[in-house]
Amino acid sequence: MRTRRVAGLAAAMTAVALAALIFAITREGKPPPVEAAAAPAPKPQGESRLYCEFYNFAGRTPKVGFYFAKPAGEGAAYGQLFQREADGSQTLFDERPIWTYDRSGEAPTLRSPDGAIQINLYGDGGANGRQPDAGGWFEAGLRSIQYLNLDGQCRRTES
């Protein structure tokens, strides 16, 4: 009798844990975006900043984030300020790697200097002319071998 009661209790606890796991995996909506960390250097006037973060496949937690700066009036390029990984580690760049910015396609793209990473900025204008709200988040996609293809979002700020 006692063995049957313990087995029944174990089965009930397993069912509750499984239901909680299924709910956590299938619930709708993304978590609120992680705010960009403070910039490592003072922000010069007229500089545009772009912060992008990309989520794990379940869309629940950020996997990697990139922070860029584009000086006013300078060509189609962004300098990378830092990169933050899911484990909290962060790489600050003293010499900013220059990423190319191309607006000629359906969605503008940022490409890393070595071409290994591409960020598609779906909500950032491009050939279709859509513009995000000032300081608002817009849809983006990361394409790379290292991080695979991840969905995410970006936010642009102007000084």
Side-chain angles (χ1 to χ4, degrees):
M1 179 89 164
R2 178 178 160 99
T3 305
R4 210 180 287 173
R5 194 176 298 158
V6 170
L9 183 59
M13 289 174 55
T14 301
V16 169
L18 182 58
L21 178 63
I22 290 171
F23 175 76
I25 291 172
T26 60
R27 73 179 180 140
E28 292 186 25
K30 282 189 175 177
V34 174
E35 295 297 324
K43 188 157 82 167
Q45 286 294 63
E47 187 171 73
S48 173
R49 297 281 175 117
L50 181 67
Y51 177 70
C52 298
E53 62 185 26
F54 300 94
Y55 303 99
N56 63 9
F57 292 110
R60 302 290 183 244
T61 57
K63 184 168 183 171
V64 64
F66 301 90
Y67 197 41
F68 302 97
K70 177 184 179 211
E74 295 188 18
Y78 276 81
Q80 186 177 4
L81 299 172
F82 70 80
Q83 183 170 328
R84 179 178 297 147
E85 303 294 330
D87 64 3
S89 64
Q90 182 170 288
T91 303
L92 298 172
F93 298 101
D94 292 327
E95 294 289 323
R96 296 178 179 178
I98 302 300
W99 290 51
T100 58
Y101 181 68
D102 180 13
R103 292 184 74 93
S104 64
E106 177 68 24
T109 58
L110 274 172
R111 284 190 183 83
S112 64
D114 62 2
I117 300 175
Q118 176 176 312
I119 297 175
N120 296 324
L121 304 168
Y122 299 117
D124 191 32
N128 60 18
R130 292 180 311 211
Q131 291 297 321
D133 295 331
W137 291 94
F138 57 89
E139 184 181 353
L142 179 69
R143 306 296 175 253
S144 78
I145 293 174
Q146 178 182 356
Y147 296 107
L148 305 175
N149 296 338
L150 300 175
D151 291 331
Q153 55 188 354
C154 296
R155 177 172 67 182
R156 181 182 314 284
T157 56
E158 308 287 332
S159 61

